[in-house]
Amino acid sequence: MVLGGLFEANGYHSSAWLVPGATDGAATDVDYFKDIVRKAEDGKLDFFFLADTPAARTEKLDAWTRGPLYMNMLEPITLLTALAGCTSHIGLGATASTSFYEPYNVARLFASLDHISHGRAAWNVVTSANDFAARNFGLDKLPPHDRRYEKAQEFFKIVTSLWDTWEDDAFVYDRDGVRMFDPAKFHVTDHEGPFFKVHGGLNMARPPQGHPVIFQAGASEAGKELAAETAEVVFGTGANKAQAIRFYEDLKGRMAKFGRDRDELKVLSGVSIVVGEDEEDARRKWDYWQSLVHTDISLMYMKTDLETDLSDLPLDEPVPEHRIPEKSNFHQVYFDEIVGLIRQGLTLREVMRKYNRSKAIFFGTGAQVADKMEDWVTSGASDGFMIAFPVLPESLTDFTTKVVPELQRRGLFRTEYTGTTLRENLGLKRPPNRHATASASLAAE
């Protein structure tokens, strides 16, 4: 199975920074991250992933100080470049927004990371989902959801075209002929569309992987269509196995119309994993972390993902149906999860406690967690897991020392890396250069 990690400085639980022993200043400490990524590589994880948004929150800071999501963090591609130098095998992935970058910037940044890491880069293609980011780039609010995905599709096509600027054997280094590259193997991207106009080429040899691996996480209709057409790894949704199976079949079922085989895409279910002496002990850990979460930040997360403020409501009464917005413009899957919990008749406090951003939680011993992971994969719910480690380094250490050996014993996970690139370790094909393929087809005719 494929195993990747979603890493936030102290951990992905909103109280991780409050847990005794948490490292102050971890978010901007590159040496701290080097220790974490080495632990992940020792555990043979496929990749180390950093989510991102190009914005700090500028409102309700008294609430955001309780759980400072994205309020203090290094730019992810810069950080991954530093981590490339202290690792040899683990993939290095990051988010870069199609809403607020230019295609040329993204093409150049991720091609550089792929060269520096010797073929271990991955780009998470996102459209951004908060108005804090929009206001950093001259907008009052984000464009409509489907419009953002139309832009993302065009953005993606330009980036991959730029990665194919040079054919793989374009640089010949012919000293006698005083000829570094073959001009016939350089190809200009000439694009003019609704969102972008680009004429030029990438000033860098083709990335070692051909294209860095493409990650996506969209769960809306537009997001799933884009993923079925372009993604190679998708962070799947589903807080339980039945939901995960539905998402898996829905997404993979869309691929044929784009001429893609199901094996060209890995769907990884998002999970939080809590390992204990037994399941009860693991649940006690989670309950303790939950007890540290301040009500202010729980309400703020709800406001962010439901796109409405519920802070005026009693905590111990059900949320009135009329307070649910008609639709979402940000994270459709998170919105739907909260709405589903509200419609179960739960109190606002119960909704806040149960809401986990569409990730399942696996509790238990190393063997019990491995049982759940094996069951999901063999049941067709996923090809592996995107693990949001709740508290670092504790959760990562527990996973790599107690769960990974059990998966290895069962033959479900590698004991050593076998490939030299992220693509090889994920079992993904290296994409051919579109220009070389076209030339070969013409020659054959």
Side-chain angles (χ1 to χ4, degrees), residues 238-256:
N240 58 57
K241 187 173 73 171
Q243 291 174 355
I245 290 172
R246 285 196 294 273
F247 180 87
Y248 186 94
E249 286 302 319
D250 180 11
L251 183 56
K252 294 227 175 183
R254 297 169 187 250
M255 296 177 69

Side-chain angles (χ1 to χ4, degrees), residues 319-392:
V319 177
E321 180 85 11
H322 73 268
R323 295 297 296 271
I324 301 172
E326 290 186 10
K327 62 180 181 178
S328 165
N329 190 41
F330 294 164
H331 289 293
Q332 184 69 50
V333 68
Y334 300 158
F335 179 92
D336 290 344
E337 182 183 354
I338 297 171
V339 171
L341 292 170
I342 290 172
R343 287 180 173 158
Q344 290 177 28
L346 302 178
T347 67
L348 178 54
R349 191 189 304 275
E350 289 169 335
V351 171
M352 292 189 301
R353 283 293 179 96
K354 286 182 175 291
Y355 178 50
N356 193 41
R357 301 197 101 188
S358 295
K359 293 187 292 293
I361 309 174
F362 293 167
F363 299 99
T365 64
Q368 287 173 320
V369 169
D371 287 342
K372 294 182 178 75
M373 297 174 80
E374 181 174 9
D375 179 45
W376 277 48
V377 171
T378 57
S379 298
S382 69
D383 298 308
F385 299 91
M386 178 63 158
I387 304 164
F389 292 100
V391 174
L392 292 174

Side-chain angles (χ1 to χ4, degrees), residues 7-11 16-19 21-36 48 50 68 71-75 79 83 391-393:
F7 291 89
E8 176 70 17
N10 294 115
W17 70 283
L18 295 168
V19 172
T23 301
D24 293 346
T28 53
D29 184 347
V30 68
D31 294 324
Y32 171 87
F33 277 103
K34 286 179 179 179
D35 288 340
I36 296 296
F48 177 101
L50 297 171
M71 291 299 289
N72 181 28
M73 60 187 302
L74 295 170
E75 192 284 315
L79 175 55
L83 301 185
V391 174
L392 292 174

